[in-house]
Amino acid sequence: MSRTRSRRPLRVALALLGVAAVALAVLWWRAGGGAVAADDAPAAPPTPTSSSAPSSPSSSPSSSSASSSSPAASSAPSSAGGSGTPAGGTGTAPATGSTTAPAPGQGGPAPVGVAVTWSQWDDASRSVLAGGIVGDVVEAGGRCTLTLSRGGVVLTGESEAEPDAASTSCGEVAVSGAALTAGPWDAVLSYASDRSAGESAPFTVVVP
């Protein structure tokens, strides 16, 4: 019994020391340890203020510089005295003449057919004679030509054509001369007027 009573004050003292130590630890943490822990915590990022926002550029072009960069109306090319359209003109190039060949009957003789109706050698006049008609043409003022050619020699004779009821007749066309030697000759009878032109198919005449 005496031992139990002697230990009680010791236990009480130890309990009081433990409570005091805990109280000191709490006070120390609040006074210094908590501040250190707060210092060790990462600092919050700074909140951007309105002063850090980019200010509007002061170098923006003013309305006066914009208007000065646009082309002035006075820089447009003047029509008077320049290399462009003459003053008072429309700028349209002058029309050129047509290069289309005239159609038959419009600025040129219309083609016609010529038919040889007969040909012969006339011994009395020492000449080649031929006759023909121009079909479907009735007109005055045309001329018929008989052309003989051989070996580079060309001989011609002419006569005035005469209109009849349904055609134009060449009548009689004669070719003569010293150059008209014996032998075969190539012959063509042609017709020409202000309105019509044509020739026959080639044929052969023989000089005895």
Side-chain angles (χ1 to χ4, degrees):
M1 294 291 293
S2 60
R3 287 183 179 179
T4 303
R5 289 178 180 175
S6 61
R7 289 178 180 176
R8 281 183 179 177
L10 180 59
R11 290 178 180 177
V12 172
L14 290 174
L16 292 175
L17 286 176
V19 171
V22 171
L24 288 175
V26 171
L27 292 175
W28 174 84
W29 182 86
R30 288 183 178 180
V36 173
D39 293 339
D40 293 338
T47 302
T49 62
S50 59
S51 61
S52 62
S55 59
S56 58
S58 60
S59 61
S60 60
S62 62
S63 59
S64 60
S65 61
S67 61
S68 62
S69 62
S70 60
S74 61
S75 62
S78 173
S79 60
S83 58
T85 305
T90 61
T92 304
T96 58
S98 172
T99 59
T100 305
Q106 298 180 2
V112 293
V114 178
V116 177
T117 55
W118 62 275
S119 64
Q120 68 181 41
W121 165 257
D122 183 56
D123 192 58
S125 60
R126 306 294 299 176
S127 61
V128 173
L129 306 177
I133 59 173
V134 182
D136 300 329
V137 174
V138 179
E139 61 182 9
R143 296 190 66 82
C144 294
T145 303
L146 177 62
T147 303
L148 305 181
S149 59
R150 185 181 68 180
V153 178
V154 178
L155 304 174
T156 61
E158 292 185 354
S159 69
E160 185 174 353
E162 296 291 339
D164 57 23
S167 62
T168 301
S169 175
C170 288
E172 181 182 287
V173 188
V175 176
S176 61
L180 185 60
T181 56
W185 289 76
D186 296 327
V188 172
L189 182 64
S190 60
Y191 171 82
S193 71
D194 294 339
R195 296 177 297 276
S196 308
E199 64 181 21
S200 69
F203 61 99
T204 303
V205 294
V206 178
V207 175

